[in-house]
Amino acid sequence: MNLNERKLQILQAIVSDFIRSAEPIGSRTLSRKYGMGISPATIRNEMADLEEMGFLTHPYTSAGRVPSTKAYRLYVDALMERYELTKDERSQIRKQLNLKTLELDRTMEHAAKILSELTSLTSFAMTPSQQEDFLKYVNIISVDADTVVLVMVSESGKVSNTTLKIKVPYKEEQLELLAKVMTYNYKGRKLTDILTMDIIRNFESDMEAMSKLAESIMPRFMNTLENMLDTELHLDGLMNIFAIPEYNDIEKAKLFLEMVNKKDFTDILINRDNGVIITIGDENTEEIMRDCSLITATYEIDGKPVGKLGVIGPIRMEYNHVTSVIEYMTEHLNDAFLTGGEEDEE
Amino acid sequence: MNLNERKLQILQAIVSDFIRSAEPIGSRTLSRKYGMGISPATIRNEMADLEEMGFLTHPYTSAGRVPSTKAYRLYVDALMERYELTKDERSQIRKQLNLKTLELDRTMEHAAKILSELTSLTSFAMTPSQQEDFLKYVNIISVDADTVVLVMVSESGKVSNTTLKIKVPYKEEQLELLAKVMTYNYKGRKLTDILTMDIIRNFESDMEAMSKLAESIMPRFMNTLENMLDTELHLDGLMNIFAIPEYNDIEKAKLFLEMVNKKDFTDILINRDNGVIITIGDENTEEIMRDCSLITATYEIDGKPVGKLGVIGPIRMEYNHVTSVIEYMTEHLNDAFLTGGEEDEE
DNA sequence: ATTAGCACTCACTTGATTAGAGTGCTAACA
DNA sequence: TGTTAGCACTCTAATCAAGTGAGTGCTAAT
């Protein structure tokens, strides 16, 4: 038995109808709705075949048919027709991504927001991992008699700061000097290298006069450095889950929301391949995501893949629409980062 | 008709029972459970009185009684017995609040987390409004040929930074000088004043050589300054809502989650009085919060009330427990800020 | 190969019945 | 006069039976 043209047509109709309605669809309805010149009985026969081949299932004997993961996969790979973004959608994306700031964090926040608005799903955007980043500048600013702010800037422009109390007496000039020395020592080093460098010890002992001061600052310095390496995940459209019939069950909605808020979820995203990746239902290896579909895409800076964005929702999602939006967005993000916010003014 | 001792006792029993069980309670059950030596019939009579006085209601003729807002109010003001925190609870609070950092943001995040964990409710913590803050230091750091990071530190230790592209050519020394001039000009000024100062214009025209540079930086400087003035709200325990029977309805849970995520909610919190404030059900003026109770408290820095934290949940919440936790936390926060993170090490 | 016809299945709706918890009222009691 | 026992009554929630309708699978006719 093989998939002839008619079978594909029927399967296509079932999948796209089910994506819209979330209701199992029967032979009679299908025949009426998509009047393809064949009787319900014929459709029934074809459906039986498709079921045997694993593309359809039955919730119970006399319910309509429901597509299986395999059917969605075929649909995504071959059956679905490409969705052309409307003018409004395009302009909304361009407008919102038209970066006012070069700050990745805020841009990503925006990206997630647009994505969830356009797809009515839960979206996410990850800032890039900074593993390959270099330290650029360190400064220590005195705020108070015993309080200082430590500011670090990385090559990629990420800024991190931390406030701490100094328990040893110090002079402003000492801070300034220390900051200069730190900058001098660590400038151009990979953040990850600094964390493992012995240089810190040397440094501390070298500078007799300021060793106490350095001692009280270094642990926090390292700590903040570590934080700079963390990727950050922005979620948006969390509440969209409530509009989806599949999650019209309090328990399911809860599990979903807990899942995406867990750290595991970030890890899952980090470990996904680059490019636009769609995993449907039980194609997901993680047990908890078995009745979701996940679409992720990579965006690039200077042609290097650095962060990810995408959506997560029910298996029954509008794959064509969602992928179109995501593709358009990543292209536009890439551009935005390349041109470097040329349009930085009102 | 007035509230004699027995009526109060009965009311107290009803409220505390209902807080635990969420089920309307009848005379017979009450008599059995809290064996207060009077028969169900007598309790019924008293209940009828209490109902007439507006302390109890009936969901329908033959259901048990349910406390009204008025009853909760009386309960909170006079009836409930103080809850003593357990050793575990105390130590958990102290441990978690034992600030490793002096950063308000992170501390508040922690505070919200503890609060939601201990109360099983949705909690929040607000960073203080910076209206009374002063600018301390400005620096401009070159990251790239045409990219700079603007760093600002306020007296209170809040650090804000923003990255921007400079379209005019510049030298590192110019940046340094500009930063120095800006610091010199704005240091010690109230953030809000700087925003309205004419001084910017003067400054820009005074420094012929760098006016172009300044021009491209100033708008963003002002912008970031504005952001520094914003209060930030940390929410935690959002998912706790799903464990509460009152919100076992997908629609209600949704409304609740949307409410606390709206900006309005922050405004409501900002506008509340200082100290520990409890508003119960329809005591809340905001329509949307009519079937919630809100408990907020203020914490202080140097004896000055600056931020708020609290919980929001169903009217039927453990007021005694929650208020004890909140009180202990605010005290401890006050201390923590006063001593200034003395215990800043492992 | 396609289709009409038919018996059958199964979730869902509706209505009726019942059990149970609780109330309000009255009359008896201490 | 306050308290209590007794009783009729009310209302929800759970259970059950019957009916409805969309859908299926199979068979026989086209």
Side-chain angles (χ1 to χ4, degrees):
Chain A
M1 189 160 29
N2 62 344
L3 282 167
N4 57 29
E5 187 55 35
R6 194 169 65 187
K7 277 196 178 59
L8 288 176
Q9 221 179 316
I10 289 173
L11 193 58
Q12 209 255 11
I14 293 175
V15 175
S16 62
D17 191 85
F18 187 74
I19 284 177
R20 223 171 313 125
S21 70
E23 299 290 341
I25 183 161
S27 54
R28 197 178 143 68
T29 324
L30 198 67
S31 156
R32 242 181 314 157
K33 221 160 157 184
Y34 298 82
M36 38 183 77
I38 44 178
S39 77
T42 312
I43 293 179
R44 271 207 290 286
N45 289 330
E46 297 288 37
M47 278 174 157
D49 290 354
L50 286 167
E51 182 156 357
E52 204 182 323
M53 293 157 90
F55 290 107
L56 297 178
T57 49
H58 249 155
Y60 49 89
T61 328
S62 71
R65 297 309 213 286
V66 169
S68 68
T69 303
K70 199 173 160 190
Y72 283 110
R73 173 48 64 196
L74 186 65
Y75 177 79
V76 165
D77 288 344
L79 264 37
M80 75 182 181
E81 46 191 47
R82 225 186 128 57
Y83 175 90
E84 280 292 333
L85 296 186
T86 66
K87 254 198 169 141
D88 274 3
E89 288 172 321
R90 284 163 186 277
S91 82
Q92 191 182 342
I93 292 173
R94 275 200 309 268
K95 215 169 178 175
Q96 289 254 25
L97 282 188
N98 195 350
L99 323 166
K100 287 253 173 54
T101 76
L102 289 176
E103 280 140 271
L104 224 42
D105 268 26
R106 236 167 290 170
T107 309
M108 291 297 95
E109 228 175 289
H110 270 160
K113 187 157 168 247
I114 301 169
L115 195 46
S116 72
E117 275 171 10
L118 290 180
T119 61
S120 302
L121 295 171
T122 299
S123 68
F124 47 82
M126 263 183 4
T127 54
S129 144
Q130 305 288 148
Q131 299 291 336
E132 286 298 317
D133 207 356
F134 300 84
L135 195 65
K136 169 104 188 181
Y137 169 89
V138 180
N139 200 0
I140 308 171
I141 300 153
S142 163
V143 173
D144 216 330
D146 61 348
T147 313
V148 301
V149 172
L150 194 58
V151 178
M152 305 171 221
V153 182
S154 79
E155 286 285 349
S156 77
K158 194 164 181 176
V159 184
S160 206
N161 60 262
T162 182
T163 312
L164 67 165
K165 292 265 167 189
I166 305 285
K167 272 162 289 177
V168 295
Y170 64 90
K171 298 210 187 84
E172 293 248 357
E173 303 88 67
Q174 288 178 315
L175 289 183
E176 216 170 291
L177 183 55
L178 182 58
K180 286 223 170 93
V181 173
M182 284 170 80
T183 303
Y184 178 77
N185 270 340
Y186 305 143
K187 192 172 178 169
R189 307 264 189 185
K190 251 168 106 172
L191 300 189
T192 43
D193 287 348
I194 298 176
L195 281 172
T196 57
M197 261 156 84
D198 226 12
I199 195 167
I200 293 124
R201 300 256 161 84
N202 299 337
F203 167 69
E204 287 185 21
S205 60
D206 277 0
M207 316 270 309
E208 289 290 349
M210 298 197 296
S211 95
K212 275 264 166 55
L213 188 56
E215 234 168 64
S216 58
I217 288 179
M218 290 322 279
R220 180 65 68 76
F221 173 69
M222 305 304 265
N223 205 284
T224 309
L225 224 47
E226 268 174 38
N227 288 342
M228 277 177 96
L229 290 172
D230 282 352
T231 60
E232 253 176 87
L233 185 70
H234 297 283
L235 286 161
D236 207 311
L238 283 171
M239 303 306 150
N240 285 340
I241 200 68
F242 292 117
I244 297 168
E246 275 86 339
Y247 291 91
N248 214 326
D249 170 3
I250 198 100
E251 200 51 41
K252 286 205 182 134
K254 181 188 169 186
L255 283 175
F256 178 87
L257 289 172
E258 281 174 352
M259 172 183 71
V260 297
N261 278 300
K262 266 213 192 117
K263 202 189 153 293
D264 302 10
F265 185 62
T266 309
D267 295 338
I268 290 171
L269 296 183
I270 291 175
N271 291 324
R272 276 169 85 88
D273 287 343
N274 290 330
V276 178
I277 305 282
I278 304 180
T279 49
I280 302 166
D282 51 26
E283 290 175 4
N284 289 300
T285 47
E286 298 77 16
E287 187 56 31
I288 188 117
M289 287 179 50
R290 286 288 166 84
D291 44 34
C292 293
S293 281
L294 180 60
I295 306 186
T296 54
T298 322
Y299 59 85
E300 307 178 342
I301 295 182
D302 299 330
K304 230 169 67 182
V306 279
K308 297 213 175 78
L309 83 174
V311 301
I312 179 163
I315 296 178
R316 180 192 63 77
M317 67 163 73
E318 293 188 336
Y319 293 95
N320 55 355
H321 186 202
V322 176
T323 48
S324 288
V325 172
I326 290 183
E327 277 168 12
Y328 191 78
M329 282 186 63
T330 49
E331 276 167 36
H332 206 82
L333 268 175
N334 292 343
D335 284 359
F337 283 122
L338 268 180
T339 61
E342 208 80 306
E343 52 286 279
D344 182 22
E345 59 200 13
E346 340 286 288
Chain B
M1 190 158 29
N2 62 344
L3 282 167
N4 57 29
E5 186 55 35
R6 193 169 65 188
K7 279 196 177 59
L8 288 176
Q9 220 178 318
I10 289 174
L11 193 57
Q12 209 254 12
I14 293 175
V15 175
S16 62
D17 191 86
F18 187 74
I19 284 177
R20 223 170 313 125
S21 71
E23 300 289 343
I25 181 162
S27 55
R28 197 179 142 69
T29 324
L30 198 67
S31 155
R32 241 181 313 157
K33 221 159 155 183
Y34 299 81
M36 38 183 78
I38 45 178
S39 77
T42 311
I43 293 179
R44 272 205 291 286
N45 289 331
E46 297 286 37
M47 278 174 156
D49 290 353
L50 286 167
E51 181 156 358
E52 204 181 324
M53 293 158 90
F55 289 108
L56 296 178
T57 49
H58 249 154
Y60 50 89
T61 331
S62 71
R65 298 309 213 285
V66 169
S68 68
T69 303
K70 200 173 158 190
Y72 283 109
R73 174 48 62 196
L74 187 64
Y75 178 78
V76 166
D77 289 343
L79 264 38
M80 76 182 181
E81 46 192 48
R82 225 186 130 55
Y83 175 89
E84 280 293 332
L85 296 186
T86 66
K87 253 194 169 146
D88 273 4
E89 288 171 323
R90 284 164 185 276
S91 82
Q92 191 182 342
I93 293 173
R94 275 200 309 269
K95 213 169 179 177
Q96 288 254 25
L97 281 188
N98 195 351
L99 324 165
K100 286 253 173 54
T101 77
L102 288 175
E103 279 141 89
L104 226 40
D105 269 26
R106 236 167 290 171
T107 308
M108 291 297 96
E109 229 175 289
H110 269 161
K113 186 155 169 252
I114 301 169
L115 195 46
S116 71
E117 275 171 8
L118 289 180
T119 61
S120 302
L121 296 170
T122 299
S123 67
F124 47 82
M126 264 183 4
T127 54
S129 144
Q130 305 287 150
Q131 299 291 335
E132 286 297 318
D133 207 356
F134 300 84
L135 194 66
K136 169 103 190 181
Y137 170 88
V138 179
N139 201 1
I140 309 171
I141 299 153
S142 163
V143 172
D144 216 330
D146 61 347
T147 314
V148 301
V149 173
L150 194 58
V151 178
M152 303 172 223
V153 181
S154 80
E155 286 284 350
S156 76
K158 194 164 182 174
V159 184
S160 207
N161 60 263
T162 181
T163 311
L164 68 166
K165 292 265 168 191
I166 305 286
K167 272 162 291 178
V168 296
Y170 64 89
K171 298 210 188 84
E172 292 248 359
E173 303 87 69
Q174 288 179 315
L175 289 183
E176 217 170 290
L177 182 56
L178 182 59
K180 285 225 170 91
V181 173
M182 284 170 81
T183 303
Y184 178 78
N185 270 340
Y186 304 143
K187 192 172 176 167
R189 306 265 189 187
K190 251 167 103 172
L191 300 188
T192 44
D193 287 348
I194 298 175
L195 281 171
T196 58
M197 261 155 83
D198 226 11
I199 195 168
I200 294 122
R201 300 255 161 82
N202 299 337
F203 168 68
E204 287 185 22
S205 61
D206 278 0
M207 317 269 309
E208 290 291 347
M210 298 198 296
S211 95
K212 275 264 165 54
L213 188 57
E215 234 168 63
S216 57
I217 288 178
M218 289 322 277
R220 180 66 68 76
F221 173 70
M222 304 304 264
N223 206 282
T224 309
L225 223 46
E226 268 175 36
N227 289 342
M228 277 178 95
L229 290 170
D230 282 352
T231 60
E232 254 177 86
L233 185 70
H234 297 284
L235 286 162
D236 207 311
L238 283 171
M239 302 309 151
N240 285 339
I241 201 67
F242 292 117
I244 296 168
E246 276 86 339
Y247 291 90
N248 214 326
D249 170 3
I250 198 102
E251 200 51 41
K252 287 206 182 133
K254 181 188 169 187
L255 283 175
F256 178 87
L257 290 172
E258 281 174 352
M259 172 182 72
V260 297
N261 278 300
K262 264 213 194 120
K263 202 189 151 295
D264 301 11
F265 185 62
T266 309
D267 295 337
I268 291 171
L269 295 183
I270 290 175
N271 291 323
R272 276 169 86 86
D273 288 342
N274 291 330
V276 177
I277 305 282
I278 303 179
T279 50
I280 301 165
D282 50 26
E283 290 176 4
N284 290 301
T285 46
E286 299 77 16
E287 188 56 32
I288 187 118
M289 287 180 51
R290 286 289 165 83
D291 43 35
C292 293
S293 282
L294 181 60
I295 305 186
T296 53
T298 322
Y299 60 86
E300 308 178 340
I301 294 182
D302 298 331
K304 232 170 65 182
V306 280
K308 297 214 174 77
L309 82 173
V311 301
I312 179 163
I315 296 178
R316 179 192 64 77
M317 68 164 73
E318 292 188 338
Y319 293 95
N320 55 356
H321 185 202
V322 177
T323 47
S324 288
V325 172
I326 291 184
E327 276 167 13
Y328 191 77
M329 282 186 64
T330 49
E331 275 167 37
H332 208 82
L333 269 174
N334 292 344
D335 284 357
F337 283 122
L338 268 181
T339 61
E342 207 82 307
E343 52 285 279
D344 183 21
E345 57 200 14
E346 339 286 290

